[in-house]
Amino acid sequence: MANETNTLGKSVSRVDGRLKVTGAARYAADQTGRNIAHAWLIKSRIGRGRITAFDTAEAEKLPGVLGLWSHKKAPRLFLTGDNFMDGNILGEKALPLQNDQILYHGQTIGFVVAESLEIARQAAGLVRVRYEEKPPVVAWEKPGVKTVEPAQVDFQPAKLTRTAESGADFAALLDGAEVKVEATYLTPLQHHVAMEPHATVAEWDDDRLTLHNCSQWMTGQQRTMAEVLGIPSECVRVVCPFLGGGFGCKATIWWPAALAAFAARELKRAVKIVTTREQTFNTNGHRPGTLQTLQLGASKDGRIQALRHTVLSTSSEITEFVEPAAHRTSVNFYSVPNVEVAHKLAVLNVGAPTWMRAPGETPGMFALESAMDELALALGTDPLELRLRNYAEQDLQKKVPFSFKHLRECYEKGAAAIGWSERSPEPRQKRDGDWLIGLGMASACYPGYRMPSSARVRLLADGTAVVGSATHDLGTGMYTIMTQVAAEALGLPLDKVRAELGDSSLPPATVAGGSMSTASVMPAVQAAAASLKRKLAALATRDPKSPLKGAKADEVQFADGQISAGERREPMQAVIGRAGLAALEATESSAPGDEGKKYSFYSYGAHFVEVKVHALTGEIRVSRIVSAMDIGRVLNAKTARSQVIGGVIGGLGMALMEESLLDPKTARIVTADLGAYHVPVNADVPPIEVFFTDKPDLNFNPLGARGVGEIGITGVAAAVANAVWHATGVRVRDLPITPEKIFEQAPARAAV
Ligand code: MOS
């Protein structure tokens, strides 16, 4: 592999793999030395109310305490413009430590910096806080909860009705359908629980800040931090070469990072803050809970005539956040002529929610794809057949065709691999001793996004190249794919190319989120490589000492580290060496054109799941998963597969384990550690077979590659719920699916 140039599409191991498994990769919290001072957060112990006393006398007397900020000594920070498109966004959109108001349990109410972590923590414990407490709003899933309508959901109105005939009465269309199902589904609040908790080291050199910070968005965090501190963007550099998981919670700036930067400037010392596992649960975002009602009306032949999807999602008093569960699924996933979606928020006293892997699609596809199974049952139609009857070639909401959609092939491949044709239409038909066995399936989807990005390619005089972009690799394989694309474009072996990312001083790129890094950054890498080759060709063909002297530009080729024109050739670096240069470089940007007006871009997929449910204990084991994905062209079969299985495992956690619970009295998150917040471990994960259609989407970008980061999680929870129904005859509509919930509804209460 080491010497291969043409590696695109192949299974290439992570180029950063060795650094990671040997512990050589340096994460934000690994920044040491340089006389670093340590910070600790003081957090509210009530869920709602105000601070009546905040006595810091004892804490400030503790030797080694360097600074203590609270609403009584407020840090001077500025709220940002909060505009995603400008790359400017805060996780929690209210300045910290500015007043005595408490809006959630665990709200940061103080920030201590000391010579050591131990002293900072001890000082925090010495601060005496008194509160005036009000009952927090915590309950949201029960009838009668107070709701508000958000101004927008995914840039669309909160309530949206589309009928095939304009002005038709949607309610009457739904009512008049031959076969109807209605069901309500619940997904709880969830947390990202990245292995690496949030960490920051803030260091000033005169008026310039270097921020070692967990970051999926180098330029976004740079701009946001600059605004928060009231300094120019050029004065902030965000550095983060490695992340131990992000899943959306490391895109925005969270306040501890800004407090560290502020304190470091005040104290003229580098300041480090590492969020504890428990603190990540209320400091760094979560996925909202959702309560979703699906109403489907179909003709007897299984064509859905009308679909209504209403969503109540949780938000927070401190920051409004909308999890667009219906707007990003039901409006266009199936070919349904009459659709209505509506969204409301229940505003709770919790920390700010944020993006979490496929925000919207993940809870939305659980509800939609569970309801499709329920409709299939009502119709007496095979669940897969029902999906095929309502297959959409056109995006009826955007009124354009879907681009290179091969979902049908995903259904076929997945069904064949799992043995779908052998599945009984009735539940509870297959047993293995005490285990009931069931098969379920569900569709997956995630939009194909692309945003402007740039990259730089440098060819060095030693014959190696460096490709750089301020993008990120949050475990996605970006280092590897950038290396592959640059190597192929330059005609260099893989081991002669090195990728640089995770630094805002590199050429700007979009957020490593929205599954769009490959689609956005790789065209820029290709453009920069092409530009570099033009420069090199110009040098060579003008150089009297080059064998290529006088060759025409369009004759010049690059392969195997050589520049050639017909039979004439020499190593690329020879051209640079003779020119007396250390390196030759080119930087280019790439942005989508107006293709988004002509096509609707999505990645698609289908999950097929086998579960075994123990008839006596209700234990649920997922025994097999097949995931067939249409992500356009696959650039690296190994890292793409890793993305899908990572997403699928997230979906298994959602289906069977993950749930963040709030104490009804205090609004404290009581599941704030990995002992209480369960995620799948290896023993919970069955073999996962991943198929790709691997057909380029050339409408989308020159590489034909759409996104793969998020789609893997979408639909998994529905596929598991559908399989649990098939095994047991019990339909569980609220996640996670636990033995108790199965027994609650089991035909015989003593056993499933
Ligand atoms: Mo993802 S939730 O766009 O990091």
Side-chain angles (χ1 to χ4, degrees):
M1 181 210 84
N3 272 311
E4 262 185 87
T5 304
N6 196 353
T7 59
L8 277 189
K10 304 224 170 92
S11 272
V12 176
S13 293
R14 287 172 196 273
V15 296
D16 53 330
R18 182 175 292 270
L19 283 178
K20 284 193 160 177
V21 298
T22 57
R26 305 255 300 163
Y27 295 80
D30 292 333
Q31 297 296 323
T32 52
R34 303 190 297 271
N35 197 22
I36 288 176
H38 297 263
W40 191 265
L41 300 168
I42 305 174
K43 302 210 133 225
S44 156
R45 290 171 178 277
I46 66 164
R48 181 163 165 253
R50 66 181 194 93
I51 302 166
T52 54
F54 196 91
D55 179 359
T56 60
E58 256 191 273
E60 277 171 312
K61 268 190 270 165
L62 192 69
V65 170
L66 301 168
L68 201 167
W69 289 269
S70 69
H71 69 291
K72 291 171 73 181
K73 186 186 168 197
R76 196 165 142 75
L77 298 168
F78 304 90
L79 262 190
T80 71
D82 191 39
N83 181 328
F84 173 80
M85 290 304 180
D86 290 347
N88 188 338
I89 195 156
L90 284 164
E92 181 182 287
K93 303 176 204 305
L95 289 176
L97 311 183
Q98 305 295 309
N99 58 44
D100 60 2
Q101 296 299 303
I102 303 294
L103 299 179
Y104 62 94
H105 196 287
Q107 183 178 323
T108 298
I109 56 173
F111 191 77
V112 195
V113 181
E115 291 290 349
S116 74
L117 181 65
E118 291 76 11
I119 298 170
R121 187 173 187 175
Q122 189 185 354
L126 291 173
V127 175
R128 301 276 167 259
V129 189
R130 278 209 297 277
Y131 305 95
E132 182 186 301
E133 206 170 342
K134 288 189 201 154
V137 181
V138 173
W140 58 277
E141 70 278 32
K142 305 266 158 40
V145 61
K146 212 177 102 195
T147 62
V148 297
E149 186 169 277
Q152 276 197 331
V153 179
D154 201 31
F155 305 104
Q156 299 168 86
K159 184 171 179 190
L160 197 150
T161 309
R162 184 187 77 230
T163 51
E165 281 174 44
S166 66
D169 181 351
F170 175 83
L173 287 164
L174 186 60
D175 251 11
E178 289 170 334
V179 180
K180 283 178 280 187
V181 296
E182 173 175 346
T184 297
Y185 304 90
L186 183 142
T187 64
L189 279 75
Q190 298 179 328
H191 279 82
H192 309 72
V193 292
M195 286 272 281
E196 177 202 23
H198 289 67
T200 308
V201 175
E203 236 183 318
W204 291 83
D205 176 8
D206 200 5
D207 61 350
R208 304 182 87 84
L209 170 68
T210 301
L211 196 74
H212 299 273
N213 195 42
C214 293
S215 177
Q216 294 174 230
W217 195 0
M218 309 319 298
T219 54
Q221 289 203 353
Q222 176 193 19
R223 277 172 220 158
T224 308
M225 187 56 79
E227 264 199 57
V228 160
L229 296 169
I231 59 175
S233 251
E234 313 82 79
C235 293
V236 178
R237 179 178 171 203
V238 182
V239 185
C240 177
F242 296 101
L243 268 183
F247 316 114
C249 71
K250 290 171 179 166
T252 65
I253 286 284
W254 296 99
W255 286 122
L259 291 168
F262 173 83
R265 186 168 59 183
E266 295 290 300
L267 299 171
K268 303 192 176 5
R269 283 277 290 270
V271 172
K272 178 174 187 170
I273 173 104
V274 182
T275 313
T276 66
R277 173 62 63 195
E278 182 181 359
Q279 289 169 348
T280 61
F281 277 79
N282 51 36
T283 312
N284 307 107
H286 61 272
R287 191 201 294 280
T290 71
L291 195 62
Q292 307 176 57
T293 299
L294 261 295
Q295 293 167 283
L296 302 177
S299 58
K300 279 195 195 126
D301 68 353
R303 277 169 223 286
I304 304 167
Q305 303 299 329
L307 183 165
R308 181 186 277 145
H309 188 167
T310 57
V311 181
L312 171 72
S313 69
T314 63
S315 182
S316 69
E317 195 174 341
I318 196 137
T319 295
E320 183 177 292
F321 182 89
V322 183
E323 178 89 15
H327 285 65
R328 287 169 64 142
T329 55
S330 288
V331 293
N332 60 1
F333 189 78
Y334 290 109
S335 186
V336 181
N338 306 295
V339 172
E340 186 166 277
V341 294
H343 200 119
K344 295 235 163 87
L345 300 174
V347 181
L348 309 185
N349 291 108
V350 289
T354 193
W355 305 306
M356 180 163 152
R357 209 167 193 166
E361 292 82 6
T362 299
M365 289 303 270
F366 166 64
L368 176 61
E369 288 294 278
S370 293
M372 286 298 281
D373 239 50
E374 303 209 44
L375 178 62
L377 181 66
L379 286 161
T381 305
D382 176 79
L384 176 53
E385 176 56 31
L386 178 65
R387 282 151 175 105
L388 290 169
R389 278 192 209 162
N390 294 282
Y391 193 87
E393 300 285 3
Q394 299 278 319
D395 181 333
L396 292 180
Q397 188 63 26
K398 266 182 89 178
K399 298 187 173 54
V400 290
F402 288 113
S403 176
F404 289 99
K405 176 173 181 174
H406 304 291
L407 175 58
R408 219 183 283 278
E409 189 182 326
C410 297
Y411 288 139
E412 282 160 15
K413 278 204 162 106
I418 201 99
W420 188 260
S421 60
E422 321 263 293
R423 176 186 178 270
S424 67
E426 298 295 316
R428 298 177 70 87
Q429 298 300 305
K430 198 169 168 191
R431 280 185 89 111
D432 175 9
D434 285 337
W435 293 91
L436 304 170
I437 300 173
L439 283 187
M441 59 82 55
S443 316
C445 71
Y446 192 81
Y449 293 125
R450 183 180 167 195
M451 297 270 280
S453 289
S454 54
R456 180 175 66 211
V457 176
R458 311 181 77 204
L459 186 63
L460 311 183
D462 66 1
T464 66
V466 183
V467 53
S469 174
T471 179
H472 213 278
D473 187 333
L474 52 153
T476 47
M478 199 61 176
Y479 275 114
T480 311
I481 294 170
M482 275 172 72
T483 306
Q484 286 177 272
V485 172
E488 172 157 298
L490 294 172
L492 280 176
L494 213 53
D495 60 358
K496 294 272 189 242
V497 180
R498 188 165 59 82
E500 286 181 340
L501 51 79
D503 185 334
S504 65
S505 67
L506 291 163
T510 187
V511 59
S515 301
M516 64 178 146
S517 297
T518 295
S520 304
V521 177
M522 294 314 146
V525 171
Q526 287 187 318
S531 171
L532 178 69
K533 288 192 287 188
R534 281 194 298 275
K535 287 187 185 181
L536 199 64
L539 272 182
T541 53
R542 276 192 239 122
D543 181 352
K545 295 213 174 94
S546 171
L548 278 78
K549 163 83 177 127
K552 291 201 188 68
D554 59 4
E555 283 180 281
V556 179
Q557 307 270 326
F558 299 81
D560 305 323
Q562 307 264 314
I563 178 169
S564 64
E567 293 303 301
R568 299 184 276 163
R569 62 183 58 234
E570 64 173 327
M572 290 183 208
Q573 70 264 35
V575 183
I576 298 176
R578 276 195 313 272
L581 299 170
L584 194 63
E585 69 173 50
T587 303
E588 294 291 342
S589 315
S590 171
D594 65 355
E595 59 273 14
K597 294 203 181 98
K598 291 181 262 174
Y599 301 98
S600 184
F601 295 109
Y602 274 83
S603 283
Y604 309 91
H607 301 288
F608 292 78
V609 169
E610 181 192 79
V611 300
K612 296 185 175 177
V613 182
H614 197 276
L616 303 174
T617 65
E619 180 183 349
I620 306 155
R621 306 295 304 179
V622 177
S623 42
R624 236 190 118 188
I625 300 178
V626 177
S627 298
M629 294 287 144
D630 173 21
I631 60 164
R633 182 180 176 202
V634 176
L635 294 189
N636 181 331
K638 192 172 191 173
T639 54
R641 176 176 178 274
S642 289
Q643 283 292 282
V644 174
I645 63 177
V648 168
I649 294 167
L652 282 186
M654 176 183 183
L656 302 175
M657 298 168 199
E658 293 183 49
E659 181 171 33
S660 299
L661 294 169
L662 295 164
D663 178 70
K665 273 209 173 123
T666 62
R668 186 174 82 89
I669 295 169
V670 296
T671 46
D673 60 52
L674 291 172
Y677 189 88
H678 292 172
V679 294
V681 298
N682 275 340
D684 297 310
V685 180
I688 301 172
E689 293 158 66
V690 180
F691 295 95
F692 292 109
T693 54
D694 196 14
K695 293 186 171 140
D697 184 340
L698 294 171
N699 297 326
F700 188 50
N701 67 18
L703 286 130
R706 291 188 303 242
V708 62
E710 284 157 281
I711 187 167
I713 192 174
T714 70
V716 174
V720 172
N722 295 342
V724 166
W725 172 81
H726 188 239
T728 63
V730 174
R731 169 66 58 184
V732 179
R733 299 187 182 87
D734 57 316
L735 296 181
I737 305 168
T738 55
E740 306 88 282
K741 290 177 189 170
I742 293 177
F743 279 116
E744 262 168 34
Q745 300 180 45
R749 288 188 69 91
V752 173

